[in-house]
Amino acid sequence: MFRTIPIWEIDYYIESNNNAMIIDLRREESYRKSHIKGAVNLPYVDREEWMSDLPMNQLLIFYCSRGGQSMSVCRELEPYGFRLVNIANGIEYYRGKYMVRG
């Protein structure tokens, strides 16, 4: 079962979990405009291309604009044994210190 957290809890994961991969599911244009520090951009629309390459040995933290796509990806990946965290609110609600603006 994956965890769902509010967006403001991402700061805790950035500061305390060295073995986490933060994944931004938005389109590349949105990622370039702003994203969470350290996040990699794996667009939701391309998920069939990158899902099989995800690391099993890392905690995978997914976010999108408002939470729907990240929830969907976590549900898709859950049966395969990944350690997953879904960010419920999406980046639209993030006002923390780890926001990177392009």
Side-chain angles (χ1 to χ4, degrees):
M1 179 134 203
F2 60 89
R3 292 191 61 214
T4 296
I5 64 169
I7 187 66
W8 52 86
E9 284 187 22
I10 191 64
D11 290 3
Y12 166 80
Y13 285 92
I14 291 170
E15 293 166 1
S16 67
N17 195 327
N18 294 333
N19 197 26
M21 181 179 185
I22 303 169
I23 301 166
D24 185 320
L25 294 169
R26 298 172 305 145
R27 293 182 183 273
E28 186 179 348
E29 310 83 67
S30 298
Y31 175 82
R32 281 196 309 254
K33 288 179 185 174
S34 67
H35 59 272
I36 294 173
K37 181 181 178 183
V40 296
N41 184 223
L42 299 176
Y44 180 81
V45 295
D46 300 329
R47 68 190 176 284
E48 292 188 14
E49 296 171 23
W50 53 256
M51 271 195 176
S52 62
D53 296 327
L54 292 172
M56 290 293 295
N57 63 340
Q58 284 184 284
L59 178 66
L60 304 176
I61 303 171
F62 290 94
Y63 74 88
C64 57
S65 292
R66 286 180 253 142
Q69 292 176 341
S70 59
M71 175 71 78
S72 177
V73 166
C74 285
R75 284 184 178 148
E76 240 179 287
L77 292 172
E78 187 175 30
Y80 299 102
F82 288 96
R83 294 183 308 132
L84 307 165
V85 172
N86 167 51
I87 295 180
N89 313 98
I91 196 170
E92 297 294 321
Y93 297 96
Y94 185 66
R95 303 292 179 264
K97 61 185 174 183
Y98 296 109
M99 178 64 81
V100 175
R101 304 234 181 247

